[in-house]
Amino acid sequence: LSYVPGLENIPAAETYISTIDTDVGKIWIRGFSLEDLALQSTYEEVLYLLIHGTLPDFETLSSFRRNIYDEWHVPQEIWDIVNMLPRDIHPMDILRTAISALAGFDRELDDPSHEANIRKAVRLVAKTGFLVGNLENMAKGGIRVFSRDLSHAANILQAIIERPAQNWEARAFETAFILYVEHELAASTFASRVIASTMTDIYGAVCGAISALKGPLHGGANEKALEVFQYDVAGAERFVRERLAARERIMGFGHRVYRRGIDPRAQVMKDILAELCRRHGDDRLYRVAVRVEEIMAAEKGLYPNLDFYVAPVYKLLGIPVKLFTPIFAASRMAGWCAHVIEQQLANRLFRPRAIYRGARGSSYPSRN
Ligand SMILES: CC(C)(COP(=O)(O)OP(=O)(O)OC[C@H]1O[C@@H](n2cnc3c(N)ncnc32)[C@H](O)[C@@H]1OP(=O)(O)O)[C@@H](O)C(=O)NCCC(=O)NCCS
């Protein structure tokens, strides 16, 4: 047996959901390029594509959207549980707790059928969006109801920023939201498939995924990536050089799969950052990003990932930094659910082996 730390480049599942094609710098989601989806489709369409395998026609999409609206409601008991948690814990911990508690309110929790799993997936995506939109509002004493006239993404954004969003703001947010939706076997998705392979319920699988996503090497990076954007270009350059000299990581750079160039998702967000800076009449964040990108390429041969460019975009949209990772979770919930469903359709329990480096045959000390 040969051991590969972190299972780097080791296939650990067969999937029809998505792949990262590093040769052409594309992410394919059920055959479609993720950039095309991010720029041209809606989150609801992509959700349908992920869990049903095809794009919906107009009527199917309309009824699917109604279905999502019908599932937003989060029982009062969940908000009561959330309110009992200490005020200062990270919203990802609140989200994980809320999703875990929601399992108890789902009458189909233990129905393992494919149809029930699909219904639970839509429910989970709808409720996670509603929860994330309202995590801060709840702490302030009231939730904002979602509107049937707005898209899922626009509803989340408006609940978070507590004001109507301009069309271009809603579209920038939705583009990022779609870009986060699915990314093959990221650590959280792999975690969800491992859990699902025991044939446990979908809620348990996505709770594990939320825990994995919180880590700074994964989704938690978008929060940390914002740090460098508090400076002007010279300050950012100093910050990066000092960090590198101290052998610390610059969050939002590097990726296990993209080794030779920019994450294609980051390029889309880079263009959106440029547009948002133009609309705000201030290009400081864009200039900082470009300078940091240049330094990281020259000093480390590392390129930005999606989180690096999402951070300043969210900042310009007025989103509080502690909601950056929960928003990622609200989007990726769709990808996790698609993988859980796929895993359980043709399941084989994950049970790898470990290479034992410990002792053998130690004699148990006599107690008398
Ligand atoms: C994503 C990540 C975990 C991938 O890591 P990995 O595949 O295990 O890469 P490695 O740890 O093998 O890194 C290779 C080298 O680049 C360095 N490196 C990797 N990412 C770095 C970063 N963001 N900043 C500075 N150096 C970095 C490593 O220290 C290592 O250097 P060394 O060979 O001198 O020790 C890593 O790049 C990282 O921690 N990035 C920051 C967190 C982040 O943005 N995560 C979001 C991913 S979408």
Side-chain angles (χ1 to χ4, degrees):
L1 283 181
S2 63
Y3 164 54
V4 179
L7 299 182
E8 182 161 356
N9 287 327
I10 302 289
E14 284 184 326
T15 185
Y16 290 88
I17 300 169
S18 75
T19 191
I20 302 169
D21 204 336
T22 47
D23 291 339
V24 292
K26 292 262 177 218
I27 300 154
W28 303 112
I29 307 277
R30 300 225 187 249
F32 297 92
S33 133
L34 179 56
E35 294 130 283
D36 286 349
L37 294 172
L39 293 171
Q40 293 175 49
S41 70
T42 61
Y43 182 78
E44 287 85 340
E45 256 182 303
V46 180
L47 169 62
Y48 188 95
L49 175 67
L50 278 170
I51 60 180
H52 289 284
T54 55
L55 281 175
D57 59 27
F58 184 76
E59 272 174 27
T60 312
L61 181 60
S62 305
S63 76
F64 187 63
R65 283 191 67 178
R66 281 197 296 279
N67 185 200
I68 299 172
Y69 297 131
D70 292 341
E71 293 289 359
W72 275 330
H73 176 71
V74 170
Q76 183 55 43
E77 288 88 337
I78 302 297
W79 296 114
D80 293 344
I81 291 170
V82 164
N83 274 329
M84 280 193 291
L85 296 169
R87 284 263 177 249
D88 55 349
I89 67 172
H90 194 282
M92 284 297 279
D93 298 324
I94 301 176
L95 183 65
R96 191 196 60 237
T97 305
I99 300 292
S100 177
L102 268 174
F105 292 85
D106 193 324
R107 288 172 194 277
E108 296 189 293
L109 179 65
D110 291 318
D111 181 346
S113 67
H114 182 61
E115 293 69 27
N117 269 348
I118 286 184
R119 285 192 294 275
K120 283 180 275 188
V122 174
R123 210 166 281 151
L124 271 163
V125 171
K127 291 187 197 314
T128 308
F130 190 73
L131 278 163
V132 168
N134 279 298
L135 282 175
E136 293 280 283
N137 299 335
M138 195 57 197
K140 288 187 235 154
I143 55 171
R144 285 176 83 101
V145 180
F146 278 17
S147 156
R148 285 181 179 261
D149 297 329
L150 291 175
S151 71
H152 186 59
N155 267 309
I156 297 171
L157 175 64
Q158 292 201 169
I160 290 172
I161 62 179
E162 298 180 274
R163 63 170 173 82
Q166 305 279 346
N167 282 344
W168 53 270
E169 290 177 307
R171 192 55 212 164
F173 181 80
E174 181 154 22
T175 303
F177 204 63
I178 295 174
L179 289 172
Y180 269 135
V181 75
E182 158 63 16
H183 206 211
E184 202 218 53
L185 274 199
S188 58
T189 306
F190 182 46
S192 76
R193 287 192 79 124
V194 171
I195 298 169
S197 82
T198 69
M199 295 309 282
T200 186
D201 64 86
I202 193 167
Y203 285 81
V206 301
C207 282
I210 293 172
S211 307
L213 188 73
K214 181 187 166 196
L217 297 188
H218 190 2
N222 65 5
E223 210 176 282
K224 305 264 184 296
L226 190 63
E227 250 181 300
V228 75
F229 290 99
Q230 63 189 302
Y231 304 105
D232 61 8
V233 174
E237 179 158 357
R238 236 185 345 268
F239 171 90
V240 170
R241 292 196 189 285
E242 279 169 17
R243 287 271 163 119
L244 292 181
R247 303 192 63 78
E248 285 173 27
R249 291 186 179 212
I250 307 298
M251 292 302 167
F253 279 84
H255 197 278
R256 178 61 66 76
V257 181
Y258 308 108
R259 297 277 191 196
R260 285 174 293 168
I262 188 169
D263 171 346
R265 303 167 303 168
Q267 185 61 52
V268 176
M269 282 326 280
K270 184 175 179 178
D271 297 342
I272 291 201
L273 176 63
E275 187 203 326
L276 261 58
C277 285
R278 255 195 316 276
R279 287 187 182 270
H280 282 262
D282 178 358
D283 65 353
R284 177 183 67 84
L285 294 176
Y286 189 76
R287 285 187 293 113
V288 164
V290 169
R291 185 66 194 125
V292 173
E293 213 186 297
E294 285 166 0
I295 298 169
M296 289 301 284
E299 298 292 321
K300 300 290 294 183
L302 288 171
Y303 302 91
N305 56 54
L306 174 60
D307 294 324
F308 182 68
Y309 276 104
V310 159
V313 166
Y314 281 179
K315 183 182 166 76
L316 286 177
L317 291 174
I319 297 171
V321 63
K322 57 184 179 171
L323 290 180
F324 286 12
T325 317
I327 293 169
F328 185 166
S331 171
R332 186 59 61 85
M333 183 58 75
W336 294 331
C337 288
H339 278 272
V340 169
I341 292 170
E342 186 181 68
Q343 178 67 36
Q344 294 193 334
L345 264 181
N347 188 50
R348 178 127 177 106
L349 176 72
F350 276 99
R351 200 339 181 159
R353 297 298 310 275
I355 296 179
Y356 180 60
R357 304 280 187 212
R360 290 171 205 254
S362 308
S363 52
Y364 190 77
S366 160
R367 295 282 180 223
N368 43 24

